[in-house]
Amino acid sequence: MPAPQGTRAPGPEDGAGQRPRPRDFRGAAEQSTDPAPPPPPASSARFPDAPPAGSARTADAPNRPGGQPSGAVAGGAPPRPAEAPRRTAPPEETRTETTTRLRPVRDEAPTGWTPASSSSRRSVGALDQALGTRPGRPYITFARPETYHPETHDGTRARPSRPRALAAATCVVLGLGLIGGAVTGSWLIPDADADGDRGGFAAAAQLWHNVPVDQLFPRTLDGEGAGPGGADRTWTRIAVAPDTGCEDAFDPLLRKALSPVGCLRLLRATYTDATRSHVTTVGLLFTTADSAAMASLKSRFEREGLDRRTDLMPLPYAARGTVADRFGADQRASWTLSVLTDAPVVVYAVSGFADGRTVTEPEPAAEAMKSGASTAPAQSGLGHEAQGLADRVERGFRKTVAAAGDQAS
């Protein structure tokens, strides 16, 4: 239906198309029976009941006729929604805190004394006034700690005090005097150790006819850890050769190599192991040489390797009627030879099989005792037999020499 003349059709800006609100046709008596509206919430500091002054909205705005707020024009555009009231902060001097919120605390300058600048130092009186102590307190200072650095802080070298310089000079003089006295004493006083060595060396040369044979060659010798792999050994003496010269006791080449020290007497004994399958001859050659000649011979044997040459092996002592009866030159399997320098004695030992088998490749004891050696003397342990017996006879002989030297002194 067209709008009457002089009026315009409602448009979107007039709220056209919106559903009109139904009128309330209830009577006054019926409306009075509605329950009372709930009371407003309690006032607080953050949400006060009264609107702030200057607000365009009033308390009776919702109750205006037609349900329109004040300021609305009939038939015009819908009113603009009222803005939320703006709060104005109370003055700084009247502001109070009514909540438990945390606020930053301003740093306040401490009351009392003001620290001085870093370039100045406060006097004792100022410190007493600032700290609240009574005046006249003792002011304690500490001395600079002593250090061991030779340079001072200003770059100059510290000078030693005069007493220290005198003490250092005295110590130097006394030290030089003690050293000079010791050197002079060594020139004037004979060497007691040298005399003792010479006495022991001379005493050892006479042991071949003064010491019982059981002391030089014990009837039983224990070789703890002397076998292959550290196994224990026990050797039993089965024969003792009479003391003789050296003509038939060595091969010609070995006799020639030993000729520089001479031959005074040769003592020999033959041992067997616990299984009686190995036999070993041990010898003590007493020479006529002095300590210098013995040292020269030892040096030559070590330098030229004479103790490792198969053509310089000692001969065994094959005692008749014993397990060593067939122990001849062809049965020699391993040997060792040692030239002593503290006694005119050469100690040696040569080992072989007791069954009389021939050994085509003899080997020195030092080589046969090496780990991984695969020769017949090494696999059978004959190198350990020769070295073990020679070591124990030599050790016993040194003890006898030491005891004889003590008796002579």
Side-chain angles (χ1 to χ4, degrees):
M1 179 177 179
Q5 189 175 2
T7 62
R8 63 182 181 86
E13 64 276 6
D14 298 333
Q18 295 183 358
R19 187 175 182 181
R21 295 184 180 179
R23 287 184 175 272
D24 193 0
F25 296 99
R26 291 182 300 175
E30 186 179 356
Q31 293 180 4
S32 62
T33 60
D34 290 342
S43 63
S44 65
R46 303 180 62 181
F47 300 98
D49 292 339
S55 174
R57 188 173 182 179
T58 59
D60 57 349
N63 299 326
R64 290 182 181 275
Q68 293 181 354
S70 62
V73 180
R80 297 174 59 186
E83 297 181 356
R86 297 182 179 178
R87 297 182 183 180
T88 57
E92 185 69 24
E93 61 274 5
T94 61
R95 183 184 303 175
T96 58
E97 178 65 40
T98 59
T99 63
T100 58
R101 294 179 299 168
L102 298 179
R103 289 181 178 272
V105 180
R106 297 182 179 178
D107 294 335
E108 297 181 358
T111 58
W113 62 280
T114 303
S117 60
S118 58
S119 60
S120 63
R121 299 184 61 181
R122 298 181 63 86
S123 62
V124 178
L127 291 176
D128 290 338
Q129 182 180 1
L131 299 176
T133 57
R134 61 181 182 179
R137 65 180 181 86
Y139 187 75
I140 303 175
T141 59
F142 296 93
R144 179 180 298 177
E146 183 178 358
T147 61
Y148 295 96
H149 200 282
E151 300 292 338
T152 57
H153 292 286
D154 55 357
T156 60
R157 183 176 297 275
R159 295 182 178 179
S161 60
R162 185 178 182 82
R164 290 186 179 181
L166 292 176
T170 304
C171 292
V172 171
V173 172
L174 291 177
L176 293 177
L178 292 175
I179 295 174
V183 173
T184 304
S186 63
W187 293 343
L188 299 178
I189 301 175
D191 190 357
D193 294 338
D195 291 343
D197 293 342
R198 286 193 293 268
F201 192 92
Q206 305 298 323
L207 290 180
W208 65 273
H209 60 77
N210 293 335
V211 178
V213 65
D214 290 344
Q215 189 171 347
L216 295 176
F217 302 111
R219 294 180 179 272
T220 303
L221 285 173
D222 294 329
E224 183 178 358
D232 297 338
R233 283 288 188 270
T234 300
W235 299 283
T236 303
R237 191 184 70 190
I238 58 177
V240 176
D243 53 303
T244 60
C246 301
E247 291 80 7
D248 300 329
F250 300 108
D251 287 337
L253 288 179
L254 181 57
R255 186 169 63 250
K256 182 179 180 181
L258 296 175
S259 59
V261 295
C263 178
L264 179 62
R265 224 31 150 188
L266 177 63
L267 306 180
R268 294 174 294 173
T270 301
Y271 288 81
T272 185
D273 65 334
T275 63
R276 301 178 69 85
S277 60
H278 299 157
V279 287
T280 304
T281 295
V282 186
L284 293 175
L285 169 62
F286 288 84
T287 69
T288 59
D290 56 6
S291 59
M294 296 298 294
S296 177
L297 181 66
K298 180 179 179 65
S299 177
R300 181 190 175 192
F301 264 74
E302 292 178 352
R303 182 178 63 256
E304 300 179 8
L306 301 181
D307 54 345
R308 296 187 298 273
R309 288 176 50 173
T310 56
D311 56 350
L312 296 178
M313 283 190 299
L315 289 173
Y317 173 64
R320 299 291 181 179
T322 65
V323 294
D325 186 279
R326 291 180 290 178
F327 186 28
D330 294 336
Q331 284 72 39
R332 293 176 294 181
S334 186
W335 78 99
T336 181
L337 189 147
S338 177
V339 180
L340 306 185
T341 57
D342 54 351
V345 174
V346 177
V347 183
Y348 69 89
V350 55
S351 61
F353 294 101
D355 56 2
R357 75 182 71 176
T358 301
V359 180
T360 58
E361 295 181 0
E363 189 175 23
E367 299 294 331
M369 293 174 62
K370 289 183 178 179
S371 178
S374 58
T375 60
Q379 294 292 332
S380 60
L382 288 173
H384 291 79
E385 298 288 327
Q387 190 66 55
L389 271 168
D391 289 344
R392 273 128 187 102
V393 170
E394 179 182 343
R395 191 180 308 167
F397 176 76
R398 290 181 182 277
K399 292 181 180 179
T400 303
V401 170
D406 294 341
Q407 293 179 358
S409 60

